[in-house]
mmCIF file of all heavy atoms in Angstrom:
data_model
loop_
_atom_site.group_PDB
_atom_site.id
_atom_site.type_symbol
_atom_site.label_atom_id
_atom_site.label_comp_id
_atom_site.label_asym_id
_atom_site.label_seq_id
_atom_site.Cartn_x
_atom_site.Cartn_y
_atom_site.Cartn_z
ATOM 1 N N ASP A 46 54.213 -74.163 123.856
ATOM 2 C CA ASP A 46 52.827 -74.607 123.701
ATOM 3 C C ASP A 46 52.634 -74.958 122.228
ATOM 4 O O ASP A 46 52.391 -74.086 121.392
ATOM 5 C CB ASP A 46 51.874 -73.483 124.130
ATOM 6 C CG ASP A 46 50.416 -73.910 124.098
ATOM 7 O OD1 ASP A 46 50.114 -74.922 123.427
ATOM 8 O OD2 ASP A 46 49.583 -73.232 124.722
ATOM 9 N N ILE A 47 52.759 -76.239 121.928
ATOM 10 C CA ILE A 47 52.784 -76.661 120.525
ATOM 11 C C ILE A 47 51.462 -76.361 119.831
ATOM 12 O O ILE A 47 51.445 -75.936 118.670
ATOM 13 C CB ILE A 47 53.115 -78.164 120.431
ATOM 14 C CG1 ILE A 47 54.515 -78.421 120.987
ATOM 15 C CG2 ILE A 47 53.031 -78.647 118.998
ATOM 16 C CD1 ILE A 47 54.931 -79.868 120.956
ATOM 17 N N GLU A 48 50.364 -76.549 120.529
ATOM 18 C CA GLU A 48 49.067 -76.300 119.905
ATOM 19 C C GLU A 48 48.901 -74.833 119.543
ATOM 20 O O GLU A 48 48.453 -74.497 118.438
ATOM 21 C CB GLU A 48 47.949 -76.738 120.844
ATOM 22 C CG GLU A 48 46.562 -76.647 120.218
ATOM 23 C CD GLU A 48 45.476 -77.214 121.113
ATOM 24 O OE1 GLU A 48 45.826 -77.766 122.179
ATOM 25 O OE2 GLU A 48 44.299 -77.114 120.744
ATOM 26 N N ALA A 49 49.282 -73.941 120.459
ATOM 27 C CA ALA A 49 49.197 -72.502 120.174
ATOM 28 C C ALA A 49 50.173 -72.107 119.078
ATOM 29 O O ALA A 49 49.855 -71.296 118.201
ATOM 30 C CB ALA A 49 49.469 -71.704 121.443
ATOM 31 N N TYR A 50 51.357 -72.700 119.125
ATOM 32 C CA TYR A 50 52.374 -72.404 118.117
ATOM 33 C C TYR A 50 51.904 -72.826 116.728
ATOM 34 O O TYR A 50 51.975 -72.058 115.763
ATOM 35 C CB TYR A 50 53.670 -73.130 118.480
ATOM 36 C CG TYR A 50 54.799 -72.961 117.486
ATOM 37 C CD1 TYR A 50 55.568 -71.805 117.481
ATOM 38 C CD2 TYR A 50 55.092 -73.957 116.563
ATOM 39 C CE1 TYR A 50 56.609 -71.651 116.568
ATOM 40 C CE2 TYR A 50 56.123 -73.812 115.657
ATOM 41 C CZ TYR A 50 56.880 -72.653 115.670
ATOM 42 O OH TYR A 50 57.893 -72.506 114.759
ATOM 43 N N ALA A 51 51.407 -74.049 116.626
ATOM 44 C CA ALA A 51 50.952 -74.558 115.326
ATOM 45 C C ALA A 51 49.765 -73.751 114.809
ATOM 46 O O ALA A 51 49.574 -73.624 113.592
ATOM 47 C CB ALA A 51 50.577 -76.035 115.444
ATOM 48 N N GLY A 52 48.962 -73.199 115.722
ATOM 49 C CA GLY A 52 47.805 -72.418 115.313
ATOM 50 C C GLY A 52 48.145 -71.132 114.590
ATOM 51 O O GLY A 52 47.272 -70.522 113.955
ATOM 52 N N LEU A 53 49.416 -70.729 114.655
ATOM 53 C CA LEU A 53 49.843 -69.506 113.965
ATOM 54 C C LEU A 53 50.043 -69.727 112.473
ATOM 55 O O LEU A 53 50.130 -68.763 111.712
ATOM 56 C CB LEU A 53 51.161 -68.996 114.561
ATOM 57 C CG LEU A 53 51.126 -68.553 116.027
ATOM 58 C CD1 LEU A 53 52.536 -68.248 116.505
ATOM 59 C CD2 LEU A 53 50.224 -67.351 116.200
ATOM 60 N N TYR A 54 50.119 -70.999 112.043
ATOM 61 C CA TYR A 54 50.504 -71.298 110.665
ATOM 62 C C TYR A 54 49.436 -72.139 109.967
ATOM 63 O O TYR A 54 48.575 -72.750 110.604
ATOM 64 C CB TYR A 54 51.841 -72.055 110.638
ATOM 65 C CG TYR A 54 52.926 -71.365 111.413
ATOM 66 C CD1 TYR A 54 53.232 -71.755 112.711
ATOM 67 C CD2 TYR A 54 53.632 -70.301 110.857
ATOM 68 C CE1 TYR A 54 54.221 -71.108 113.437
ATOM 69 C CE2 TYR A 54 54.619 -69.644 111.578
ATOM 70 C CZ TYR A 54 54.907 -70.050 112.865
ATOM 71 O OH TYR A 54 55.863 -69.400 113.581
ATOM 72 N N THR A 55 49.525 -72.154 108.657
ATOM 73 C CA THR A 55 48.624 -72.967 107.845
ATOM 74 C C THR A 55 49.435 -73.690 106.771
ATOM 75 O O THR A 55 50.578 -73.336 106.494
ATOM 76 C CB THR A 55 47.544 -72.096 107.163
ATOM 77 O OG1 THR A 55 48.195 -71.098 106.351
ATOM 78 C CG2 THR A 55 46.651 -71.421 108.185
ATOM 79 N N GLY A 56 48.807 -74.702 106.166
ATOM 80 C CA GLY A 56 49.413 -75.359 105.016
ATOM 81 C C GLY A 56 50.645 -76.163 105.342
ATOM 82 O O GLY A 56 50.839 -76.670 106.451
ATOM 83 N N ARG A 57 51.501 -76.249 104.346
ATOM 84 C CA ARG A 57 52.684 -77.112 104.431
ATOM 85 C C ARG A 57 53.657 -76.650 105.516
ATOM 86 O O ARG A 57 54.277 -77.475 106.191
ATOM 87 C CB ARG A 57 53.376 -77.141 103.068
ATOM 88 C CG ARG A 57 54.578 -78.064 103.017
ATOM 89 C CD ARG A 57 55.263 -77.995 101.666
ATOM 90 N NE ARG A 57 56.511 -78.735 101.672
ATOM 91 C CZ ARG A 57 56.626 -80.026 101.395
ATOM 92 N NH1 ARG A 57 55.552 -80.717 101.078
ATOM 93 N NH2 ARG A 57 57.797 -80.632 101.421
ATOM 94 N N THR A 58 53.801 -75.346 105.706
ATOM 95 C CA THR A 58 54.766 -74.861 106.702
ATOM 96 C C THR A 58 54.354 -75.283 108.109
ATOM 97 O O THR A 58 55.211 -75.520 108.957
ATOM 98 C CB THR A 58 54.933 -73.329 106.622
ATOM 99 O OG1 THR A 58 56.061 -72.944 107.400
ATOM 100 C CG2 THR A 58 53.719 -72.595 107.166
ATOM 101 N N LYS A 59 53.054 -75.389 108.363
ATOM 102 C CA LYS A 59 52.589 -75.866 109.674
ATOM 103 C C LYS A 59 53.089 -77.284 109.913
ATOM 104 O O LYS A 59 53.609 -77.605 110.994
ATOM 105 C CB LYS A 59 51.064 -75.805 109.724
ATOM 106 C CG LYS A 59 50.460 -76.304 111.029
ATOM 107 C CD LYS A 59 48.955 -76.140 111.016
ATOM 108 C CE LYS A 59 48.328 -76.592 112.340
ATOM 109 N NZ LYS A 59 46.863 -76.366 112.359
ATOM 110 N N ILE A 60 52.954 -78.134 108.903
ATOM 111 C CA ILE A 60 53.399 -79.528 109.028
ATOM 112 C C ILE A 60 54.912 -79.601 109.194
ATOM 113 O O ILE A 60 55.428 -80.320 110.059
ATOM 114 C CB ILE A 60 52.955 -80.335 107.797
ATOM 115 C CG1 ILE A 60 51.429 -80.339 107.690
ATOM 116 C CG2 ILE A 60 53.496 -81.762 107.858
ATOM 117 C CD1 ILE A 60 50.901 -80.850 106.359
ATOM 118 N N LYS A 61 55.646 -78.841 108.376
ATOM 119 C CA LYS A 61 57.107 -78.889 108.432
ATOM 120 C C LYS A 61 57.635 -78.365 109.763
ATOM 121 O O LYS A 61 58.617 -78.892 110.303
ATOM 122 C CB LYS A 61 57.697 -78.077 107.273
ATOM 123 C CG LYS A 61 57.377 -78.624 105.897
ATOM 124 C CD LYS A 61 57.890 -80.038 105.684
ATOM 125 C CE LYS A 61 59.404 -80.096 105.577
ATOM 126 N NZ LYS A 61 59.879 -81.470 105.277
ATOM 127 N N ARG A 62 56.993 -77.344 110.306
ATOM 128 C CA ARG A 62 57.427 -76.824 111.610
ATOM 129 C C ARG A 62 57.159 -77.844 112.712
ATOM 130 O O ARG A 62 57.984 -78.014 113.629
ATOM 131 C CB ARG A 62 56.722 -75.498 111.902
ATOM 132 C CG ARG A 62 57.280 -74.320 111.109
ATOM 133 C CD ARG A 62 56.457 -73.057 111.323
ATOM 134 N NE ARG A 62 56.961 -71.935 110.544
ATOM 135 C CZ ARG A 62 57.847 -71.036 110.972
ATOM 136 N NH1 ARG A 62 58.335 -71.139 112.188
ATOM 137 N NH2 ARG A 62 58.241 -70.051 110.199
ATOM 138 N N LEU A 63 56.017 -78.524 112.659
ATOM 139 C CA LEU A 63 55.725 -79.556 113.651
ATOM 140 C C LEU A 63 56.722 -80.710 113.556
ATOM 141 O O LEU A 63 57.207 -81.222 114.575
ATOM 142 C CB LEU A 63 54.301 -80.067 113.458
ATOM 143 C CG LEU A 63 53.182 -79.109 113.885
ATOM 144 C CD1 LEU A 63 51.826 -79.611 113.400
ATOM 145 C CD2 LEU A 63 53.165 -78.943 115.409
ATOM 146 N N MET A 64 57.060 -81.101 112.346
ATOM 147 C CA MET A 64 58.032 -82.180 112.167
ATOM 148 C C MET A 64 59.422 -81.739 112.614
ATOM 149 O O MET A 64 60.196 -82.543 113.153
ATOM 150 C CB MET A 64 58.037 -82.626 110.707
ATOM 151 C CG MET A 64 56.744 -83.306 110.275
ATOM 152 S SD MET A 64 56.714 -83.789 108.529
ATOM 153 C CE MET A 64 57.968 -85.075 108.524
#
Side-chain angles (χ1 to χ4, degrees):
D46 184 341
I47 297 179
E48 186 174 355
Y50 177 80
L53 296 173
Y54 308 98
T55 58
R57 183 183 172 88
T58 192
K59 179 177 182 177
I60 299 168
K61 296 300 289 184
R62 285 174 181 268
L63 287 169
M64 293 178 67

